[in-house]
Amino acid sequence: MEQQRKSLQEIQQEVDQYISQFKEGYFSPLAMMARMTEEVGELAREINHHYGPKQKKADEAEKTIDDELGDVFFIVLCFANSLGIDLQEAFDRIMHKFNTRDKDRWTRIENNNTEE
């Protein structure tokens, strides 16, 4: 049976419920930024191992890019929650910006259905 996908709001709520069970709660914004930097560094390392010239050491634990992206996403969710940011609203604002201000910034792919 196919699992129903969660909305971004539901994901933020799930993370908040998870974090709220601990006395420590969310880290401070500065600590959260440090955690995000750490996780992005781990993602960069995996990207470099997979797509770049750097090979893993024989004794290095196997990690995946999707797991590292998941870690980055979790920290982004925690960061947003700790600051009271609704990521759906933030995403909608950013997409509006890309669709208006930046609409002609990139070379569009030609539509194959247009007449020549």
Side-chain angles (χ1 to χ4, degrees):
M1 184 172 6
E2 187 175 323
Q3 186 178 6
Q4 184 176 354
R5 294 195 178 259
K6 299 171 188 168
S7 70
L8 190 49
Q9 184 179 39
E10 290 168 328
I11 292 169
Q12 279 192 259
Q13 288 171 347
E14 184 176 344
V15 168
D16 195 55
Q17 288 170 353
Y18 173 77
I19 296 295
S20 67
Q21 67 183 323
F22 303 109
K23 289 180 182 179
E24 295 80 3
Y26 290 107
F27 296 137
S28 70
L30 188 56
M32 200 77 72
M33 191 68 226
R35 289 288 315 275
M36 186 181 304
T37 301
E38 177 185 349
E39 294 299 346
V40 169
E42 291 176 13
L43 173 61
R45 185 174 180 84
E46 287 306 307
I47 295 287
N48 194 23
H49 287 316
H50 190 75
Y51 296 103
K54 185 173 182 185
Q55 298 297 310
K56 281 190 184 238
K57 298 174 188 170
D59 63 345
E60 200 167 353
E62 187 63 34
K63 294 183 178 180
T64 63
I65 293 170
D66 56 332
D67 285 345
E68 295 303 334
L69 275 171
D71 288 345
V72 170
F73 185 50
F74 182 79
I75 294 301
V76 168
L77 292 161
C78 288
F79 211 159
N81 284 354
S82 73
L83 297 173
I85 295 170
D86 181 323
L87 284 174
Q88 184 65 60
E89 289 177 7
F91 175 79
D92 290 344
R93 282 192 311 273
I94 295 305
M95 287 308 299
H96 176 73
K97 177 180 75 172
F98 282 118
N99 286 318
T100 56
R101 185 193 77 187
D102 295 341
K103 67 182 171 63
D104 296 322
R105 184 174 185 178
W106 310 105
T107 306
R108 294 199 181 266
I109 297 172
E110 294 291 325
N111 186 345
N112 292 333
N113 296 330
T114 59
E115 295 180 23
E116 295 184 48

